Amino acid sequence: MMQLGFALLTIGSVRAKSAKSVALKNIMDAAFGGVGYFFFGWAFAYGDKLDADGNSINNAFIGTNNFAMSTTEESKYNTFLFQYVFAISTATIVSGAVAERVKFIAYALYAFFLTAWVYPVLTHWVWTTSGWASPTRLASLGPLFIGSGVYDTVGSGAVHMMGGVAGLAGAWVAGPRRGRFDANGKPVTMPGHNAVLYMSGVLLLWFGFYGFNPGTMGQLIAADGTSFSGVVARCAISTTMGGCFGGTVGIIVQLIYSKLCHGQAIWDLTAAGNCALTGMIVITSGCATLEPWAAALGGVVGGLIVLPSSLFVSHVLKIDDPVDAFVVHGIGGAAGVIWYALMAHKEFVTELYGAAPDGGQRHWGWWQGDYPNVLGANVIWCLVIFGWTFAMMAPFFYVLKLCGLLRISPEEEELGADISKHGGSAYPGMENMYNEHEASVK
Amino acid sequence: MMQLGFALLTIGSVRAKSAKSVALKNIMDAAFGGVGYFFFGWAFAYGDKLDADGNSINNAFIGTNNFAMSTTEESKYNTFLFQYVFAISTATIVSGAVAERVKFIAYALYAFFLTAWVYPVLTHWVWTTSGWASPTRLASLGPLFIGSGVYDTVGSGAVHMMGGVAGLAGAWVAGPRRGRFDANGKPVTMPGHNAVLYMSGVLLLWFGFYGFNPGTMGQLIAADGTSFSGVVARCAISTTMGGCFGGTVGIIVQLIYSKLCHGQAIWDLTAAGNCALTGMIVITSGCATLEPWAAALGGVVGGLIVLPSSLFVSHVLKIDDPVDAFVVHGIGGAAGVIWYALMAHKEFVTELYGAAPDGGQRHWGWWQGDYPNVLGANVIWCLVIFGWTFAMMAPFFYVLKLCGLLRISPEEEELGADISKHGGSAYPGMENMYNEHEASVK
Amino acid sequence: MMQLGFALLTIGSVRAKSAKSVALKNIMDAAFGGVGYFFFGWAFAYGDKLDADGNSINNAFIGTNNFAMSTTEESKYNTFLFQYVFAISTATIVSGAVAERVKFIAYALYAFFLTAWVYPVLTHWVWTTSGWASPTRLASLGPLFIGSGVYDTVGSGAVHMMGGVAGLAGAWVAGPRRGRFDANGKPVTMPGHNAVLYMSGVLLLWFGFYGFNPGTMGQLIAADGTSFSGVVARCAISTTMGGCFGGTVGIIVQLIYSKLCHGQAIWDLTAAGNCALTGMIVITSGCATLEPWAAALGGVVGGLIVLPSSLFVSHVLKIDDPVDAFVVHGIGGAAGVIWYALMAHKEFVTELYGAAPDGGQRHWGWWQGDYPNVLGANVIWCLVIFGWTFAMMAPFFYVLKLCGLLRISPEEEELGADISKHGGSAYPGMENMYNEHEASVK
């Protein structure tokens, strides 16, 4: 479902001649990503030696057994499914950032690499009982990181920011689409070909976030027998607040910006959609520990950061990210990790994680009155995500580039990936119309 | 999800040049409506003083505290979410009725007004333990209305009819689209631009009704600890029957009508879709208290009323309602409120509401053998909904009109709202084709 | 939801001039099929005399009472809903196979016939406690078929294979679309008109399979009070593995085939989508009793069989099946019935069905070490499904053909069903473009 949301959003945002290519890539994600996560990713993430209570006691860096789910207990199957969906989501986020110019073989290889290695290792660090950054690390394995561990419950950081940074690496190494920047390096707008698909994608993702955020929490219930129904409801409220306030603020920001800089106030669909998504991503990590007003404020933050970040990426970094994947997921995800550290409510943290390993009160949000331990841990976590992901993905894409496997040829790009690689246009009969339109715009 | 269904249905039903505008409006609904309901709507609806049992004891007309969810308990979060979805659905219903001719600012203002004030007050009356029309009104606050209270469980009346009437008010004040009626006042057909989107919308809404109807009942379980699994299953059966029989009858009615009046039998997609939806709306209120055969008959009623109602609106009232929102939701919703009053099964009413405040049997459906108390209460409820909604929305739209905020200019309408207001067509490259088509039709 | 998935997949796969026709047919399925199943199908399938424990004790062939749900207990409502969805799915599968050339009246008639008679009788045999093939047959009614009964839990056979075979019968009797085979009988490719719709359909169906497979199991919980959470999780894992490995293998097979036979490696969207679906269908029956590796292997099987089967149907049988419904559902479903018989895990069979009627161990998968009883029963079951379905549907379609009710006229087919029967194109304004394209391809 999330997959379909991402797919329609991306397809709506690219030009018609690449529509089929993106469609196939999104089915590929789900398929190749599942194969990669099944054989390797699940093992690297959760494949630990277990103690008598079923907690992993292996090492802080990586899981080392249970390849191909060889010894997985059925009680962990739900975790596998959620992690699978998370893993292929990171691959899909990247697909938006490198759309319309990357070879299919490159896509297949990085989707596998991402779901089998880069993403799983990151989640081992923060979501298992042996990971160095985990707030649920077993006391027998050492103290919590900075006394609190990293708070990144549903993955503003480990899923969204990670996907956004990987997308940035890909878009940077691959270079911009032909014609995206003019001779002076000024960005040229390349509008998507179908606003209805874009909107459908946004609304499906919005719906999907109720699966992501409360759903992940609901799954915890089954895992340890405790009822989390209050937590689940809180996540759903947080998600709603994040999306509503993000979208509202985003529209207003765009109205002001277009009036001031272009002289005409534009009610912009992309601003509304991207800001609503960013608002939800900002509250993703903290969805279980934010009060409704804090989630609403988080949505406002999401609505405020999108436009300046987007201008920064296209005008200063001069990177071509057709769907603003880095802005929405990367920067929005980082903001979510920080927002959690600032705003986590004391009682809700206890409800979610229980008492600290020493039996005392766990740390909570800095702006809610605690010492800034969580803030310190989460800021470092953002740097770790950026460093690990970029250090893995940029060389990976660069090697592909050296091997000639990354970029489609200029002729193919001009013609569109659909005809050159996929045996025909996504919309047979409409090629001429779209080609004439593109020529007329130039 | 419902939001996406409404959006695709409406987009498919309007002309291509307004597609992006409708897409944005549907994201706006979810965002602005959420903000309005969060700050004000929730308080006006459920923000009551509570007694020791958590029942509202405030007053019969309106809630008066808990603005911005300031004191909401977590056990009420699920109620908030369902009510939020209901609230934005009413706004979306209106968006279909006023499509292709209303300014964006008007849309933003009425969406806020509707979700923050008009809808919440109505729900306070019928769904809280202090509302004057509520069948669960506390005995300490006075007797039930006409001895039974109004039966409108999931909102045939408070949601659908209310949205439909608001849409009628908007369509009436805004006036028809240019060219919708010829010089003699005869309606001119303006077909939608994409039947596939329309169908997707219908099927998504159909799926969504399983969330609306059984989902609302399922949520009751959590609220009071009783298991309602039988009720939930009955709602799902009712919904299925309503949709199936509504759609089937609608197709047959349209076949007969087109054969008799136009000489050729047409298997009509819009008739099938609108009648299936209307059938489901007719059984929405009573979904928990109808036997399967009564729900099937309700679907037949839904399938029968659409065509004559639609002809009445366009040929007699001469109101331009591009998606027949008033017919489907307004008249269908009213039929649902009445159908409940006629057909509610005695045992099911007891299962749902428990005993009457005096400990005796509650009233049930007139055609099932009871006195017509519920019928009287529900007929009055329909009049109240019509009166309240029209009295609120018609002046509101009229003030907007006086301020020049309601209607886009004739030039903009000719050009299409997408280009004039939203920075470009929904389908770049296809504008010429659609414009030529429109010219050729004229 | 499944309905929307099937609809979009089919619409994307046909030519634009039939899009509206397919859209209407899919709303019709849900409506007419519901009416047929409500009045007759439910009774023929489950309408048995019951013993004191609520088990049906009627006869091995057919249910005989409870028409129009007259005496259905509420505890069976969930079963009705799942069966209703299964029933209309079989009708929808057929609609793909006969797309673009069958009269609407034929469609309405066979949808009713299928959901009211052909499908229900089949399910009575295998899924009730009195059916001759059922593994849960009451001991008092006789021994299990071949000592084990037929294992077809969620319907690889009774739903998918049955729908695929009915589609084959329809496509065979109706004959190919005009121009699908050239003068020498060589197939001519007729590509679909919208790859994005196709992809949306695939991903929706993928999502829907989580409702079909684990959902059916989850419903069992309610029915008998036992918790099946482990079974549900296993079904979800199986479904994921089937889809991922099916899609991956399908892409690779197509790459090799296109390189060897056409000289250029094509990354093919249809191959990816159809093979992912087939992979899921192969593990549908056994979803509750397969270990993850066995489900993954089942997905591989699904990915391998699609291309050769499809070539066989179009080049050898010379049958025109626009969406490969027989290949995906018919052959994939048969493979699923066989795969179950080979791979069912001993402990999982016990968990699902309990002990055998004599108190001993039930039979399990042949390749897991048991005698081939289940394999024998399931192979015979495949023959029975083929025989029953073909014997019912082929004469039915043939009678329609004799009455002149089956096939639209050549002129109508040339023009497209949308304009001739449904009052206009699905995409007003785009007819000329699509017509020119078709002429140019010829």
Side-chain angles (χ1 to χ4, degrees), chain C residues 88-241:
Chain C
I88 63 172
S89 296
T90 65
T92 305
I93 291 168
V94 179
S95 86
V98 300
E100 302 206 79
R101 56 200 192 276
V102 157
K103 280 193 179 176
F104 212 92
I105 185 73
Y107 187 80
L109 291 173
Y110 91 71
F112 194 88
F113 183 62
L114 206 61
T115 56
W117 172 255
V118 185
Y119 168 77
V121 170
L122 207 58
T123 60
H124 181 88
W125 297 348
V126 72
W127 286 339
T128 66
T129 52
S130 58
W132 62 264
S134 170
T136 57
R137 195 179 195 194
L138 297 181
S140 58
L141 297 174
L144 298 183
F145 184 62
I146 318 192
S148 73
V150 167
Y151 288 13
D152 184 16
T153 321
V154 196
S156 283
V159 179
H160 290 285
M161 184 181 168
M162 187 274 182
V165 172
L168 182 76
W172 178 62
V173 174
R177 288 169 290 175
R178 286 167 53 83
R180 179 70 175 82
F181 297 96
D182 65 16
N184 304 318
K186 218 171 135 253
V188 176
T189 309
M190 297 178 111
H193 82 291
N194 193 324
V196 176
L197 292 179
Y198 174 82
M199 178 216 65
S200 300
V202 169
L203 288 177
L204 274 174
L205 285 175
W206 193 321
F207 180 76
F209 265 103
Y210 292 101
F212 249 117
N213 294 357
T216 308
M217 289 300 153
Q219 172 240 343
L220 291 177
I221 299 174
D224 72 353
T226 322
S227 170
F228 270 112
S229 67
V231 174
V232 172
R234 198 155 57 229
C235 285
I237 294 282
S238 298
T239 305
T240 308
M241 291 298 112

Side-chain angles (χ1 to χ4, degrees), chain B residues 92-315:
Chain B
T92 306
I93 292 168
V94 179
S95 86
V98 300
E100 302 207 80
R101 57 200 191 277
V102 157
K103 280 193 179 175
F104 212 92
I105 184 74
Y107 187 79
L109 290 173
Y110 92 70
F112 194 89
F113 183 62
L114 206 61
T115 56
W117 173 254
V118 185
Y119 168 75
V121 169
L122 207 58
T123 59
H124 181 88
W125 297 347
V126 73
W127 286 340
T128 66
T129 52
S130 59
W132 63 263
S134 170
T136 58
R137 194 179 196 196
L138 297 181
S140 57
L141 298 174
L144 298 182
F145 184 62
I146 319 192
S148 73
V150 167
Y151 289 11
D152 184 16
T153 322
V154 196
S156 282
V159 178
H160 290 285
M161 183 181 169
M162 187 276 184
V165 171
L168 183 75
W172 177 61
V173 175
R177 288 168 292 175
R178 286 165 54 83
R180 179 69 175 82
F181 297 97
D182 65 16
N184 305 318
K186 218 170 137 253
V188 177
T189 308
M190 298 177 112
H193 82 291
N194 192 324
V196 176
L197 292 179
Y198 174 82
M199 177 217 65
S200 300
V202 169
L203 288 177
L204 273 174
L205 286 174
W206 194 320
F207 180 76
F209 265 103
Y210 291 100
F212 249 116
N213 294 357
T216 307
M217 290 299 154
Q219 173 240 341
L220 291 177
I221 300 173
D224 73 352
T226 323
S227 170
F228 269 114
S229 67
V231 174
V232 172
R234 197 154 59 229
C235 285
I237 294 283
S238 298
T239 305
T240 308
M241 292 298 113
C244 292
F245 280 81
T248 303
V249 170
I251 288 173
I252 295 170
V253 167
Q254 184 72 30
L255 277 173
I256 296 170
Y257 167 78
S258 56
K259 184 73 186 171
L260 293 183
C261 299
H262 301 295
Q264 191 200 3
I266 299 285
W267 297 82
D268 191 72
L269 176 63
T270 309
N274 279 354
C275 289
L277 293 180
T278 306
M280 284 184 272
I281 290 166
V282 169
I283 58 78
T284 288
S285 271
C287 66
T289 51
L290 298 175
E291 291 156 289
W293 64 264
L297 263 186
V300 172
V301 169
L304 290 174
I305 59 179
V306 168
L307 181 63
S309 306
S310 177
L311 293 173
F312 179 77
V313 169
S314 62
H315 285 74

Side-chain angles (χ1 to χ4, degrees), chain B residues 192-196 199-200 204 207 230 233-234 236-237 240-241 244-245 248 251 264 267 269 272 292 348 433-434 437, chain C residues 1 4 7-8 11 23-24 28 30-32 34-35 38-39 74 77 80-81 84 104 420-422 426-430:
Chain B
H193 82 291
N194 192 324
V196 176
M199 177 217 65
S200 300
L204 273 174
F207 180 76
R234 197 154 59 229
I237 294 283
T240 308
M241 292 298 113
C244 292
F245 280 81
T248 303
I251 288 173
Q264 191 200 3
W267 297 82
L269 176 63
F348 298 165
M433 185 187 66
Y434 279 121
H437 170 66
Chain C
M1 181 56 76
L4 180 58
L8 293 181
I11 293 172
L24 177 51
M28 290 289 306
F32 279 21
V35 172
F38 171 74
F39 279 122
E74 288 182 12
Y77 278 6
F80 177 88
L81 285 173
Y84 158 68
F104 212 92
S420 60
K421 286 291 171 198
H422 303 299
Y427 312 107
M430 296 167 67

